[in-house]
């Protein structure tokens, strides 16, 4: 075990890297932090999850403000979907309290790995598309005003888009919130899936709006984590500082890279961490 100061510095540096990746992919950094903390630093998953929830709030605050300034985030869509994510987060946090009290942590490892790997197929399928395919608006497009536009620096053009299947997005968002509360993450992967695949929004809009949403979802779940004593202030502080710095750097990178590049980075990391989390849950240590 490293001395306290060195351990704190290591936490900040790892968190900063996770923050960069989280800002680029819409995951908020926590999705990468929990596997790294538990697999490589030996931190119990219950405390890693608690710290990650706090860092998710910091990431959302840092990244979301920059994305809103760049006019990529669709705040209207994000606020509409938050109802489902916060409800799911409460259910998930209460579920994890039962799991930890009965020493069933292996379930969390396996579920975490499955959640990560479940995103791979969708990302590989859509990686060849820089922008979503043209679709006809449905009734939810008009009722909930699922449309917008932003200037894409990488493509050097203004991108107009519209969303569809609001109802499907809401269903996925509830499960995203549940996973957030269960695993201690912002569940950005599922939020991105809901907006990118289900609602047919551009990847950059999905990732930036996800960053805007995850803070509210994490704040809801973290209140229950605090209640059960799953958040360690020392670990949470170092994590929040690092992730916030990394998220700021990530926002500067995102606007200058293509959606396709983001997908490839996203997919590679999901595969690596997903497999390792499942193996840890099955009893294979590292």
């Amino acid at each position: 075990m490293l001395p306290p100061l060195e351990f704190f510095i290591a936490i900040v540096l790892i968190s900063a890297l996770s923050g960069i990746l989280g800002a680029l992919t819409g995951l908020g950094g926590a999705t990468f932090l929990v596997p790294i903390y538990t697999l490589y630093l030996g931190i119990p998953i219950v405390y890693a999850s608690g710290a990650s929830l706090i860092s998710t709030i910091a990431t959302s605050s840092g990244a979301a403000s920059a994305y809103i300034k760049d006019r990529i985030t669709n705040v209207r869509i994000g606020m509409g979907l938050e109802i489902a994510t916060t409800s799911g987060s409460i259910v998930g946090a209460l579920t994890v309290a039962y799991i930890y009290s009965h020493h069933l942590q292996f379930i969390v490892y396996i579920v975490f790995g499955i959640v990560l790997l479940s995103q791979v197929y969708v990302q590989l399928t859509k990686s060849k598309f820089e922008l979503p395919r043209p679709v006809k608006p449905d009734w939810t497009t008009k009722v909930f005003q699922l449309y917008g536009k932003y200037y894409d620096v990488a493509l050097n053009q203004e991108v107009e888009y519209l969303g569809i299947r609001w109802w499907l997005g809401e269903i996925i968002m509830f499960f995203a919130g549940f996973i957030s509360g269960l695993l201690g993450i912002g569940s950005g992967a599922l939020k991105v899936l809901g907006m990118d695949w289900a609602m047919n929004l551009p990847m950059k809009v999905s990732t930036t709006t996800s960053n805007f949403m995850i803070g509210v979802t994490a704040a809801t779940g973290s209140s229950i984590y605090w209640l059960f004593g799953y958040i360690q202030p020392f670990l949470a502080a170092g994590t929040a500082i690092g992730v916030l710095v990394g998220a700021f750097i990530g926002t500067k990178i995102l606007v200058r890279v293509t959606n396709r590049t983001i997908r490839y980075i996203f997919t590679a990391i999901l595969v690596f961490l997903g497999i390792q989390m499942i193996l840890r849950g099955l009893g294979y240590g590292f």
Side-chain angles (χ1 to χ4, degrees), residues 147-250:
Y147 51 79
K149 61 182 179 180
Y150 70 96
Y151 182 76
D152 194 310
V153 175
L155 298 178
N156 194 29
Q157 70 179 68
E158 186 171 78
V159 177
E160 296 186 3
Y161 61 90
L162 58 86
I164 56 176
R165 297 180 297 197
W166 177 87
W167 57 271
L168 182 56
E170 287 284 353
I171 292 174
I172 295 177
M173 291 302 162
F174 176 84
F175 284 102
F178 177 80
I179 293 298
S180 174
L182 181 69
L183 303 180
I185 62 176
S187 65
L190 291 179
K191 287 186 176 70
V192 171
L193 175 67
M195 290 180 279
D196 182 39
W197 173 73
M199 300 177 67
N200 203 55
L201 299 178
M203 185 65 171
K204 286 185 179 178
V205 175
S206 298
T207 56
T208 55
T209 304
S210 170
N211 268 301
F212 169 73
M213 296 170 60
I214 59 177
V216 179
T217 307
T220 304
S222 65
S223 62
I224 298 177
Y225 272 69
W226 270 111
L227 179 64
F228 287 99
Y230 296 153
I231 296 178
Q232 297 294 313
F234 181 81
L235 180 61
T239 301
I241 293 172
V243 169
L244 186 58
V245 172
F248 178 78
I249 297 173

Side-chain angles (χ1 to χ4, degrees), residues 125-136:
T125 301
K126 301 195 72 173
S127 62
K128 56 186 175 182
F129 300 110
E130 182 61 32
L131 296 174
R133 59 185 175 81
V135 295
K136 294 182 179 180

Side-chain angles (χ1 to χ4, degrees), residues 18-43:
S18 298
I20 293 174
L21 296 174
L24 288 175
T25 60
L27 301 182
T31 301
F32 307 112
L33 277 176
V34 175
I36 293 173
Y37 279 2
T38 57
L39 295 173
Y40 303 109
L41 294 184
I43 298 173

Side-chain angles (χ1 to χ4, degrees), residues 104-115:
L104 301 173
Q105 288 89 332
F106 73 93
I107 295 177
V108 179
Y109 279 102
I110 295 174
V111 172
F112 208 127
I114 292 174
V115 167

